[in-house]
Amino acid sequence: MSTLPSVCLQQVDPSSSTSALVYNPSVCPSFGCSNPFGTMGSQAASYVNYNTNTHSHYQLRDWNLRINNNHVTTMPWKGGGDLGIAVGFEHRGEQLTNTPDELISSGQSLTNTVLPTSGGFDVTEGYAEAKATLLKNVFLAKDLTVDVQGRASGYSTTSDTAKNWKASINWAPTQDIRFRGTIGTSYRQPNVYELYGGQSLSYNLANDPCDAAQVGTYGGAAATVAATCAKQGINSSTFHQSGTGQVPTLGGGNAHLAPEVGRTYTFGTIITPRWIPNLSISGEFWHYSVNHTISALPTQYILDGCYTGTNASLCNLVNRLSNGQINTVSATDQNTGALHESGVDFDFDYRIRVARHDVLSVSNNFQYLLNYTQQLVPGGAFTNYTGALLYAGGPNNANASYGIPRVRDYATFGWTHGAFTATYMVQFIGGMRWNDQSEFLNSTTAGRYKTPMMIEQDLTLAYRWKKWNFESGINNITNKKPPFVASGVDNSAGATYGSFYQGRYFFLQAGLNF
């Protein structure tokens, strides 16, 4: 969230967010300012009407050579299928510059301070893939196919060569059921912004642990928090945070970032019984594990780790003014730790013709999150965020709240009569408990600590006529409102509940296919 410049007004008591303001010309911006209670001078008018200009340039150069053949040979045994091979070479270069206006860089604009970004990297890659149909149309093997891939990448930002691979198997003993599995590695080089992004100042949602109203919320760690504050000359029984709920935070790139590396497992099955035409049922278990994750530590996590003593090294990231107020918390991009995520997905699709011109269809996608644990500092403890709503900011320390619901479900019911189609859709998002990136809230630590389940219902009617397609409908039929969430952006969680923001609304549109 942005903050306005002082513009010649100063608090009588800087330690109190409710302090009265007085006119002080010594704190005016360098562009000049007038007494806010008098006539605006020419310099002040020029300052407030100034147009800022930011220049950005991104360049991607890509050269590649690809060779593939899906029918190199046939497996030399009964029931053997085709062997396909693909190889390739690629050289890619990325360069980016972003030059904010001088007024923005100096912190005298009405937006947050942003410093310039400039940098880039080159990468040379080679890959090979082989896909072999080992058996087809034989007993217990309607289809048995394996796929093996490998890739080597050399980046200009590191002397190491990244090697990645993936192997998968797809086996259908009959045409009614199919099993599939995949195991592989992953590699993500930090992008230009993450490597070379200029520092910027934002006001992240967080509370100062030394605030008199906050220190008592730490329960058994309250004494440690008070003692840490006292060592810094702050009396936590009388101190009050200025700008309650927000803390100035410095973010930006880090040229010393290491790449993210991970491993993936997926196993599943698809059932398509011949005796029930147009029915498909599938289930899949998946697991992702990523190490050296690239992100910025949440502001609240830094403050809590410092003042509770669980990670005293984080105190080096907190800078205070002489009056005790937090000047800035440094939260630039870094390799924070690891992320483990796993879940199961179930899909159901069925389509049946009930009359010559009438077709009914139903589909459902059910997602269940088994585990979402994250390590926010290398070598640190893992925190389980399964079912959490991170109200103090989502990934990369953004102010916007971010939800990790345990359950999601999407259902669609359709009826087609000739050129006419009616579709009814239902979206379900499970309830979540609030988490400030350090701990879950509960009824004893907060009056509001969880968000209820949410259901959205939509109805669409469509009609095709020659090359035209006409559609009308109602979204959010019950006019369901998004739940309140403490947020420095929108008082909810747009990344999770964005479809509820408009409330109930009607639409009518026409399209022409050429």
Side-chain angles (χ1 to χ4, degrees):
M1 179 176 288
S2 302
T3 183
L4 296 176
S6 53
V7 191
C8 309
L9 297 178
Q10 189 177 48
Q11 287 179 310
V12 174
D13 179 9
S15 67
S16 174
S17 60
T18 60
S19 172
L21 299 175
V22 295
Y23 172 61
N24 183 352
S26 67
V27 298
C28 286
S30 60
F31 283 85
C33 187
S34 300
N35 184 336
F37 306 108
T39 302
M40 181 177 289
S42 59
Q43 279 189 311
S46 176
Y47 170 74
V48 299
N49 288 294
Y50 183 81
N51 292 321
T52 59
N53 295 281
T54 295
H55 301 278
S56 296
H57 176 260
Y58 173 76
Q59 178 177 277
L60 171 66
R61 304 182 311 276
D62 186 42
W63 295 271
N64 62 77
L65 172 66
R66 303 174 185 176
I67 301 174
N68 67 83
N69 187 337
N70 294 329
H71 309 285
V72 175
T73 187
T74 300
M75 297 299 158
W77 52 74
K78 183 180 179 180
D82 292 328
L83 169 67
I85 293 178
V87 295
F89 169 84
E90 181 176 11
H91 180 79
R92 186 174 67 254
E94 294 186 50
Q95 297 290 328
L96 177 122
T97 60
N98 180 62
T99 308
D101 191 276
E102 291 183 0
L103 199 65
I104 296 176
S105 297
S106 64
Q108 299 185 91
S109 69
L110 297 182
T111 62
N112 293 334
T113 303
V114 180
L115 298 182
T117 294
S118 179
F121 58 82
D122 299 316
V123 56
T124 301
E125 296 183 306
Y127 67 88
E129 177 182 1
K131 182 177 181 180
T133 302
L134 302 180
L135 293 170
K136 65 176 184 179
N137 297 324
V138 298
F139 178 67
L140 290 182
K142 181 68 175 178
D143 175 39
L144 177 59
T145 301
V146 295
D147 191 314
V148 180
Q149 305 175 22
R151 178 182 292 263
S153 308
Y155 286 84
S156 60
T157 54
T158 177
S159 59
D160 297 330
T161 299
K163 301 178 181 67
N164 290 288
W165 57 270
K166 186 182 84 169
S168 64
I169 184 171
N170 202 315
W171 174 45
T174 70
Q175 70 180 65
D176 302 309
I177 189 169
R178 180 180 297 272
F179 301 95
R180 57 192 179 186
T182 300
I183 181 174
T185 62
S186 61
Y187 178 97
R188 188 181 80 84
Q189 168 74 6
N191 61 43
V192 178
Y193 272 112
E194 291 169 333
L195 286 169
Y196 309 112
Q199 285 198 347
S200 61
L201 179 67
S202 61
Y203 291 80
N204 292 350
L205 195 68
N207 292 305
D208 189 339
C210 295
D211 185 273
Q214 183 70 14
V215 66
T217 65
Y218 288 94
T224 303
V225 173
T228 306
C229 297
K231 290 179 181 178
Q232 299 180 6
I234 303 172
N235 185 345
S236 57
S237 62
T238 59
F239 180 78
H240 295 283
Q241 175 185 355
S242 178
T244 302
Q246 289 183 303
V247 172
T249 304
L250 287 174
N254 179 358
H256 301 291
L257 288 174
E260 293 181 342
V261 293
R263 181 157 293 189
T264 302
Y265 309 89
T266 63
F267 304 98
T269 183
I270 304 175
I271 302 173
T272 53
R274 282 168 289 179
W275 56 90
I276 309 180
N278 301 316
L279 172 65
S280 174
I281 302 173
S282 66
E284 185 172 61
F285 166 81
W286 51 267
H287 174 81
Y288 305 131
S289 179
V290 183
N291 293 316
H292 311 307
T293 51
I294 298 172
S295 65
L297 289 177
T299 304
Q300 192 68 60
Y301 181 88
I302 294 173
L303 293 171
D304 289 349
C306 167
Y307 287 90
T308 61
T310 55
N311 192 341
S313 64
L314 294 177
C315 293
N316 297 326
L317 304 178
V318 182
N319 177 269
R320 289 185 180 270
L321 299 171
S322 58
N323 61 7
Q325 296 295 333
I326 295 177
N327 183 29
T328 57
V329 170
S330 181
T332 56
D333 290 332
Q334 58 181 286
N335 293 109
T336 53
L339 171 67
H340 301 316
E341 185 177 5
S342 60
V344 290
D345 294 345
F346 296 99
D347 290 283
F348 176 92
D349 292 280
Y350 184 51
R351 184 172 177 270
I352 182 172
R353 184 176 294 277
V354 295
R356 181 180 177 184
H357 299 291
D358 294 277
V359 175
L360 297 179
S361 63
V362 58
S363 65
N364 189 79
N365 172 245
F366 177 81
Q367 303 170 3
Y368 189 83
L369 185 65
L370 294 171
N371 177 61
Y372 188 104
T373 56
Q374 189 170 12
Q375 181 190 52
L376 292 178
V377 291
F382 280 85
T383 302
N384 190 344
Y385 292 120
T386 310
L389 196 150
L390 304 176
Y391 73 92
N396 289 314
N397 214 346
N399 268 320
S401 301
Y402 181 76
I404 310 173
R406 186 179 289 275
V407 178
R408 282 183 178 271
D409 190 78
Y410 304 87
T412 303
F413 305 89
W415 169 47
T416 299
H417 177 78
F420 173 80
T421 300
T423 306
Y424 171 67
M425 295 161 285
V426 181
Q427 176 186 181
F428 173 88
I429 303 173
M432 291 172 278
R433 285 182 60 195
W434 290 17
N435 188 295
D436 66 355
Q437 294 274 13
S438 290
E439 61 181 0
F440 282 98
L441 303 186
N442 55 57
S443 57
T444 61
T445 59
R448 189 190 299 264
Y449 66 96
K450 61 182 179 179
T451 299
M453 66 178 185
M454 296 290 291
I455 298 176
E456 180 185 351
Q457 303 174 69
D458 304 326
L459 177 65
T460 301
L461 305 177
Y463 184 78
R464 299 189 311 276
W465 179 70
K466 296 182 179 180
K467 294 183 177 181
W468 287 90
N469 186 57
F470 302 93
E471 282 191 2
S472 65
I474 309 172
N475 283 1
N476 196 355
I477 297 173
T478 60
N479 198 28
K480 189 76 172 179
K481 305 298 183 184
F484 170 79
V485 179
S487 169
V489 177
D490 51 10
N491 288 330
S492 189
T496 304
Y497 303 115
S499 60
F500 294 93
Y501 279 26
Q502 297 184 74
R504 181 194 300 119
Y505 71 94
F506 302 82
F507 66 91
L508 177 65
Q509 61 187 32
L512 177 63
N513 298 319
F514 295 95

